[in-house]
Amino acid sequence: MAVIDVEEIDDHERYRAELASISKDGKRKWIYARKPRGRLYRWRTILSWFLLLFLVLAPFVKVNGHQFLLFNIIEREFVFFGIPFWPNDFYLVALMFLTGVVTIVLFTSTLGRLWCGWLCPQTIFMEMVFRKIEWLLDGTPKEQALRDAGAWTVSRVMHRIAKISIFFTISFLISNVFLAYVVGSDSLLQYIVNGPFQHWDLFVGLLFFAFVFFMVFYRFREQACLIVCPYGRYMSALVDDNTMAVSYDFRRGEPRGKFTRDDAAAKRMMTEADFKRPNEQGDCVDCYQCVTVCPTGIDIRNGIQLECVSCTACIDACNEVMDKVGLPRGLIRHTSQSVIESGKGHWFTRRIAAYGIVWLLLIATVVTLFILRADVDVKILRQEGTTWVTTTEGLGNVYRIQIINKSHESIPITVKVLSPSTAVITPVGIPDRVEPQQILKGRFIVSLPKATLAQHGTKIRIAVLSGTSTVYEAETSFITP
């Protein structure tokens, strides 16, 4: 296998063989990102705070007595937007998950990796919570770098202890929020009231996940996006030249170089009719502001890269510089490669159309299944380990019944045998009504006179009625000696 010598790679292509967060000797190179500012960053901040509030409050909001969102994998209990999904509805959960995957595929193919920069919980927590606290505690990127490179003084040790304490406390709170999604907010609050020693095993698990979150946001940071996250990997298989992404307009910006005041003034005085770049220089002033605000440390001017999370911080930084030198905004913008190269782009390609058709079919299927989903679900099975029993009416078979009331109203329930007419039902633990959102489990015995067994055969038909409506009907075998 041939070994590539990085030193022989052209400087412009060196980024393809190196990670911005890894030095040449393989050691971690810390990224001290500058705090972004601008219109896009303000919108991203507003959206992030909305999503953070939604994440924290969703487990504690109740709709018709149900948690707004619940993912209790252990007990197979799922609630989406206040609608409970029972174990027999798991096919709907699977279809919704598949629809979500296809939605992300369609979204990425069309608009690039905006999910990572604007919606991903990892990015939101890192950039909008922990990074902001870090800027507040540690100061500017230059101050952070000088402190980390300096000696371990008492002041630095106390500062580091305070930072670790704050980061771990927030990580512990995040773990509790995620636990509320799994065990339910009511159970979590009860665990807190009872104290950790009454639920020691759960508390140890909670501390473990809090430590994992702490290490991700305190040490691992952007490496989670660059190394661990699979989304960034399969994203490269979804984008093409027509995909919208955070891009540098190299046709306008190259060759880059520093501006003198005379060059900037000359450009501002030019009209479109007689526009010529001074000394054929592009609009990029090579200020590196787009690099200093990047949370993954890349230079977007090298082209679309796997490490780019489309946070758009570089767009705000570049637009601010363009305003200062009096040049048009948009040197870095959200556009496609084909638009930059030729000025034309067609985002609605055959591939996007195919993804869109699959997405629409999944949406239609999920909506249809939701509409057709019955409010009452019944399951009748023969009692395990039994064949037939002797009763006062003759011979009997024992059955188990499970009734799930998915509606928000109490419903009456009646179990009867449609045929043969001589059958007698003896309920065991089956009430007359099933309460809203309740799972009712019970048993019943179907008895037939011995004298009629030969005449009517061994097939019986059982029905479950809610009032006058039949909600379940099935034929089963009646076991005889």
Side-chain angles (χ1 to χ4, degrees), residues 22 76 82 133 163 213 218 263 276 311 400 423 447:
I22 303 296
R76 295 182 298 170
I133 293 173
K163 181 178 177 180
F213 286 136
Y218 181 71
D263 291 336
K276 291 182 180 178
C311 67
R400 288 190 299 108
S447 301

Side-chain angles (χ1 to χ4, degrees), residues 388-391 393-395 448-455 481:
W388 54 271
V389 295
T390 302
T391 65
E393 290 82 10
L395 293 178
L448 286 174
K450 295 180 181 180
T452 61
L453 288 176
Q455 179 182 352

Side-chain angles (χ1 to χ4, degrees), residues 44-106:
R44 189 157 64 101
T45 302
I46 294 172
L47 177 61
S48 297
W49 281 112
F50 170 78
L51 293 174
L52 284 171
L53 286 174
F54 179 84
L55 178 70
V56 173
L57 296 179
F60 301 95
V61 174
K62 297 295 181 67
V63 178
N64 294 319
H66 290 281
Q67 193 168 300
F68 191 69
L69 288 175
L70 177 66
F71 309 99
N72 192 339
I73 302 174
I74 301 172
E75 298 180 3
R76 295 182 298 170
E77 231 183 298
F78 300 92
V79 180
F80 296 94
F81 309 112
I83 302 174
F85 289 81
W86 309 95
N88 57 331
D89 291 327
F90 190 76
Y91 68 97
L92 273 175
V93 177
L95 273 176
M96 291 173 63
F97 175 78
L98 181 60
T99 303
V101 172
V102 175
T103 301
I104 294 178
V105 169
L106 177 61

Side-chain angles (χ1 to χ4, degrees), residues 9-16 254 256 301-303:
I9 300 177
D10 183 79
D11 286 339
H12 183 66
E13 298 294 328
R14 190 180 297 271
Y15 76 96
R16 300 184 186 276
E254 299 297 321
R256 68 188 73 156
R301 297 173 299 175
N302 290 327

Side-chain angles (χ1 to χ4, degrees), residues 265-291:
K267 283 201 172 192
R268 286 195 295 269
M269 294 175 61
M270 289 181 181
T271 63
E272 291 187 5
D274 62 356
F275 177 79
K276 291 182 180 178
R277 294 188 176 93
N279 302 321
E280 298 298 323
Q281 182 177 316
D283 283 358
C284 178
V285 299
D286 207 19
C287 61
Y288 278 90
Q289 294 303 299
C290 57
V291 180

